[in-house]
Amino acid sequence: MEKEMRTPVIAGNWKMNKTPYEAVTLVNELKEFIKNPRCEVVICPPFLDIPVLFSELNGSSIKMGAQNCHFEEKGAFTGEVSVKMLKESGCSHVIIGHSERRQYFNETDETVNLKIKAAVNGNLTAIVCVGETLEERESEKTEEVIKRQVEGALKDIDELSLRKIIIAYEPIWAIGTGKTAQAAEADVVCGYIRELIAKKYTKQLARTTRILYGGSMNSANAKELLEQYNIDGGLIGGASLKARNFAEIVSAADSL
Ligand code: PGA
C-alpha cells in the first residue's frame, strides 16, 4: 500500500559513454520504445550531450539528469559545471556522490552534502548514491558505512529539501561486475536507509522518500528487485546503454 505512494524511478547512468552524435541515436531509439511510462524515466548522459539532447527530448516523457555538478554557483572552478547551467540546459535531475566519483575524484560526504544543497536550492532533484565496498560488506560494516554516508549527505537538509532527494543504494561490489545483490539483501539495506530517514525526519517522510537499487540491474533481474518493498526503482549503468534493455526495465517497473 505504502509502496504505491512512491512513483518508481528508472534512471540510466550513461557514465562516460556516447558522443553527442551517438547520444542522439540512442535517444531516438529510447523514444520509440518508451512512450507513456507510468514510472519516472530519467537518462543521465555526459555533460556535452545534454544540450544536444534537450531538443531531442522535447515532448517526450523521458527526463534528463547530469552525472555530477559543482556546489558553487559560479566562479574560478576550472572544468566544473554549475546547477544553473544544468537547469538551463534541460536537466531536472543530477546524480550526486556516485561511488566512482567518490573513488576517483575524491568526493567526500562533505562535498556530497554541499552538492545536494546546491542541487535542491537550484530546483534539481538529487539522486544521491551510497554503498559499501566488498571488504566493508564482508567485515559486516555495511550498516555503519551506509549510516555515515546517509547522515553525511543529509546534514542540515530540511524536510522540504528531502522531497527533492532520491537515494540510490549501490553496493560497490555489484557495480559493473555482473554481480547483483540478492533482491532480499538489497531490500534490507534500502529498508535500513528508510529507517535512518524515519529517525532523522518523520515516518511519513520515510514512507514517501524514493530509494533505488543500483548495481548490475538488467532486464532479467529487474522485476525481482523492483518488487521488493523498499526498492522504488533502479539506477542503471551498463544496461542503460542499449535501448531495448533499458526499455525492458522500464516495462518491468510499469508492470508492478
Ligand atoms: P551498472 O552501474 O548497472 O553498470 O552496474 C550502475 C551504476 O554505477 O550506477
Side-chain angles (χ1 to χ4, degrees):
M1 185 64 199
E2 283 161 11
K3 187 169 163 81
E4 286 156 22
M5 295 167 18
R6 307 188 292 261
T7 306
V9 185
I10 300 297
N13 175 11
W14 291 10
K15 309 193 179 182
M16 197 173 72
N17 294 292
K18 305 292 173 189
T19 64
Y21 185 80
E22 293 164 345
V24 170
T25 307
L26 177 54
V27 157
N28 281 323
E29 289 168 4
L30 286 171
K31 284 196 293 189
E32 281 302 308
F33 284 118
I34 304 168
K35 299 268 194 225
N36 287 304
R38 284 194 296 127
C39 64
E40 199 174 340
V41 180
V42 188
I43 54 164
C44 302
F47 286 138
L48 274 181
D49 299 352
I50 290 171
V52 182
L53 295 183
F54 190 11
S55 56
E56 297 291 331
L57 289 172
N58 188 15
S60 107
S61 40
I62 302 171
K63 298 178 183 172
M64 189 157 51
Q67 299 169 16
N68 180 32
C69 64
H70 197 265
F71 48 82
E72 293 290 350
E73 274 179 33
K74 60 179 170 181
F77 301 101
T78 304
E80 292 294 315
V81 171
S82 74
V83 167
K84 201 171 171 193
M85 291 168 193
L86 295 176
K87 189 82 193 162
E88 205 175 296
S89 308
C91 288
S92 52
H93 292 65
V94 59
I95 298 172
I96 293 177
H98 189 280
S99 60
E100 286 151 18
R101 296 217 51 91
R102 292 181 193 253
Q103 192 181 346
Y104 307 131
F105 303 99
N106 301 323
E107 291 206 3
T108 62
D109 291 331
E110 288 72 35
T111 55
V112 166
N113 176 250
L114 291 173
K115 287 179 181 204
I116 297 171
K117 286 176 182 155
V120 298
N121 287 339
N123 213 17
L124 287 180
T125 297
I127 304 175
V128 181
C129 303
V130 296
E132 81 286 3
T133 62
L134 184 59
E135 200 190 343
E136 287 160 346
R137 171 158 284 260
E138 284 174 347
S139 52
E140 293 176 10
K141 291 207 176 106
T142 301
E143 288 202 349
E144 182 187 322
V145 172
I146 298 295
K147 185 169 193 281
R148 193 197 71 228
Q149 291 178 339
V150 170
E151 286 179 353
L154 299 179
K155 187 164 181 274
D156 301 326
I157 286 187
D158 62 16
E159 294 190 8
L160 209 61
S161 301
L162 187 71
R163 291 172 209 273
K164 299 279 293 171
I165 295 174
I166 295 169
I167 312 263
Y169 167 55
E170 299 206 307
I172 295 170
W173 46 273
I175 296 178
T177 57
K179 261 195 238 163
T180 323
Q182 295 293 313
E185 117 192 300
D187 188 58
V188 168
V189 182
C190 292
Y192 177 64
I193 295 171
R194 218 175 277 293
E195 257 174 54
L196 292 172
I197 294 172
K199 270 194 207 130
K200 181 171 166 68
Y201 300 93
T202 60
K203 280 198 175 138
Q204 174 60 19
L205 263 181
R207 277 190 213 114
T208 49
T209 300
R210 289 173 299 172
I211 302 175
L212 317 183
Y213 168 79
S216 299
M217 193 189 264
N218 57 42
S219 49
N221 60 29
K223 187 164 185 290
E224 196 192 354
L225 287 158
L226 296 171
E227 274 169 358
Q228 302 300 311
Y229 175 77
N230 286 300
I231 301 180
D232 305 310
L235 183 55
I236 296 120
S240 72
L241 297 172
K242 295 258 165 26
R244 186 180 293 273
N245 289 359
F246 189 64
E248 280 171 4
I249 301 174
V250 171
S251 302
D254 279 353
S255 70
L256 291 178

